[in-house]
Amino acid sequence: MLKHLYIKNFTLIDELDIELYPGFSVITGETGAGKSIILGAIGLLLGQRADSKAIKQGAEKCVIEAQFDLSRYGMEDFFEENDIEYDAADCIIRRELTAAGKSRAFINDTPVQLTMLKELGERLVDIHSQHQNLLLNKQDFQLNVVDIIADDEKELAAYQQAFTQFHATEKELAALKESIEQNRQNADFLQFQCDELSQANLVEGEQEELEQKSETMSHSEEIKSALYEADHALSAEGIGVVGSLKTALSAIRQIEKVLPDARELVERMDSTYIELKDIAQEIGSQMEQVDFDPNELDVINNRLDKLYDLEKKYHVETVEELMEKRDELKLQLDRIENSDEALEELQKKVAQQQMQAKKAADVLTKLRTKAAKQIEKEMQDRLIPLGMPHVRFSIQMNEGALGTSGQDQVAFLFSANTSTPLQPISQVASGGEIARVMLSLKAMISGAVKLPTIIFDEIDTGVSGKTAEKMAQIMQEMGQHERQVISITHLPQIAALGSAHYKVEKEETDKGTISRMRALSPEERISEIAQMLSGSDVSEAAISNAKQLLKVK
């Protein structure tokens, strides 16, 4: 229940600080006095998008704060799940807007995202404005009403889980069918590519080895010449380094016994001689192996050209990637070959999941059908006292395709008299009739949903007299069951039944036009209702009528 509202620097409101009470309260005021501004401020507290233009001209910041008593509504789970301090008797919601366009939201002084504020707001306050009457045109609203009365939340969740699985598998099946069709159309081409790569007899590391051989054979003369020159320098008779080193080694060995340092020189020269001799033998061997064969080079280069062409064709850079492509093509061809089996298996899965979703939908339909009968009777009972003695209200339920909400297509049918056939309510009901239907629906729903505060914004449009009084009695009754009902009204019959009465009015000050809201005293209520009855010139008869409506002497 909303027990306190504070607004500062919001459009025409300089500062508003007001207590609110349980039961049925009314707000009155001339058109344009600022009632919609107050609703707009409450809407921001409930998570609506903010506009910096809403800040009072000249102010840097706008603050809107409300205190709620949640002690009877079991909302601990929301605060536990979101790690917010819970005080059942005093829950504070605050919204701040700056002229720079920044917005901040708080629940019990904890900063929160707007989505969280909206989630809590939807559980705290329902604002019914005139545009909400358009909801009667929407099938999802009508179905939601049936679901609320059916109390089928668990069954709906079970169905939606089954439908989600079925829908996902159905999409998977459609994708598989499309893939199979595309693959079958490309099967010949895929087979050609696979054959081409398989017949290429690809070998890992082959390209690098062939490139090295090609490079070597292409420079065979240059290699031979270098090897010959090195061999001559090392091994030529009389001038080769190996022979000269051997001669030097023999000479030093002759003085090894008489020159102590010669031993170390002998060891070093002997080691070098062995290494050079080995190098000379290796060079000789390499000379014998180097042999230019133009036919072999042609074979190598032709093979490399084949590999390069394949790599270019398949947009890869290595033989290993060509091999991966070949294996991928084989896998695609295997899938095409086995696609019928996979398709059949997935079709069975879709059929099974569709059957499970249909069973869950049938459970929903049964609950909804029972609830629809209950709604029809209750709406008939509620609408007849509201000036429609011959009213008929019926809920038409047709079976459609499985969807996110089940298989049921719901339509509210309405007729205000016996001579007019039942038709969709949005097509035949007048503005006043729709207002009475919506009030009756809200009253009925409020009995099934624990919603702390309901605000009606001019729900009385198009009605007057006894009908208005009956509507007020319905709202008064709604406010008696641990619920707070606030009605913004222009009708004295409704204003007179409020247990608390607030007035919104404009005032011209040296700072410009401001809007205020204040609680009326018993004497002020008499004057306000008398003015609503007779206009600006309040007569004694109007005052007498006002007292009669208020049941005061």
Side-chain angles (χ1 to χ4, degrees), residues 357-396:
K358 181 68 170 64
K359 285 182 180 178
D362 289 340
V363 172
L364 271 180
T365 299
K366 187 176 180 179
L367 291 172
R368 287 167 172 170
T369 302
K370 183 179 178 181
K373 298 298 180 186
Q374 179 186 338
I375 294 169
E376 288 174 347
K377 183 181 184 307
E378 189 167 339
M379 287 296 290
Q380 195 93 356
D381 294 341
R382 288 181 179 277
L383 289 170
I384 288 174
L386 291 176
M388 291 187 278
H390 304 296
V391 70
R392 285 177 293 157
F393 185 92
S394 177
I395 298 178
Q396 184 182 75

Side-chain angles (χ1 to χ4, degrees), residues 311-486:
E311 288 169 357
K312 183 178 180 181
K313 181 176 180 179
Y314 291 98
H315 306 289
V316 298
E317 295 182 356
T318 66
V319 169
E320 287 71 26
E321 287 178 298
L322 283 175
M323 295 169 73
E324 289 175 8
K325 181 67 178 177
R326 176 199 62 200
D327 296 341
E328 181 184 327
L329 289 166
K330 285 181 179 179
L331 185 60
Q332 282 184 269
L333 289 167
D334 287 342
R335 285 174 179 169
I336 292 172
E337 188 175 342
N338 300 320
S339 59
D340 288 341
E341 184 179 336
L343 185 63
E344 184 179 351
E345 185 178 341
L346 198 56
Q347 284 172 331
K348 286 180 181 178
K349 187 177 179 181
V350 167
Q352 183 181 11
Q353 290 182 347
Q354 184 178 23
M355 184 172 62
Q356 290 172 346
K358 181 68 170 64
K359 285 182 180 178
D362 289 340
V363 172
L364 271 180
T365 299
K366 187 176 180 179
L367 291 172
R368 287 167 172 170
T369 302
K370 183 179 178 181
K373 298 298 180 186
Q374 179 186 338
I375 294 169
E376 288 174 347
K377 183 181 184 307
E378 189 167 339
M379 287 296 290
Q380 195 93 356
D381 294 341
R382 288 181 179 277
L383 289 170
I384 288 174
L386 291 176
M388 291 187 278
H390 304 296
V391 70
R392 285 177 293 157
F393 185 92
S394 177
I395 298 178
Q396 184 182 75
M397 288 184 61
N398 296 319
E399 183 176 325
L402 295 177
T404 54
S405 300
Q407 63 189 352
D408 304 307
Q409 296 178 342
V410 173
F412 286 0
L413 304 181
F414 175 85
S415 175
N417 51 69
T418 55
S419 62
T420 306
L422 283 164
Q423 295 183 55
I425 190 168
S426 60
Q427 297 178 16
V428 295
S430 66
E433 288 167 344
I434 285 179
R436 283 173 274 180
V437 169
M438 285 300 291
L439 177 60
S440 300
L441 285 173
K442 291 278 183 176
M444 182 179 61
I445 291 171
S446 68
V449 178
K450 284 189 174 183
L451 194 66
T453 300
I454 300 175
I455 301 175
F456 290 106
D457 181 17
E458 299 183 3
I459 188 73
D460 49 34
T461 299
V463 299
S464 59
K466 289 184 179 180
T467 300
E469 187 177 351
K470 289 290 185 181
M471 291 179 73
Q473 289 170 355
I474 290 174
M475 288 185 277
Q476 189 180 49
E477 182 186 345
M478 290 171 66
Q480 292 172 355
H481 300 284
E482 296 184 354
R483 192 173 295 104
Q484 179 185 47
V485 178
I486 301 170

Side-chain angles (χ1 to χ4, degrees), residues 244-277:
S244 298
L245 181 57
K246 184 178 181 182
T247 301
L249 177 60
S250 297
I252 297 301
R253 274 181 174 158
Q254 291 177 6
I255 58 171
E256 186 177 356
K257 293 181 180 179
V258 295
L259 180 63
D261 292 341
R263 183 181 297 275
E264 181 184 352
L265 291 172
V266 167
E267 290 176 357
R268 289 169 63 189
M269 291 173 72
D270 189 44
S271 175
T272 303
Y273 171 73
I274 292 170
E275 180 66 18
L276 281 174
K277 187 178 179 182

Side-chain angles (χ1 to χ4, degrees), residues 9 16 24 101 151 153 247 256 264 279 293 295 342-343 369 384 389 406 423 429 460 468-469 481 491 515 518 543 553:
N9 296 329
L16 185 150
F24 178 46
D151 191 21
E153 188 175 345
T247 301
E256 186 177 356
E264 181 184 352
I279 290 171
D293 183 349
N295 292 329
L343 185 63
T369 302
I384 288 174
Q423 295 183 55
D460 49 34
E469 187 177 351
H481 300 284
L491 297 181
S515 183
R518 60 189 179 89
I543 292 175
K553 296 181 180 179

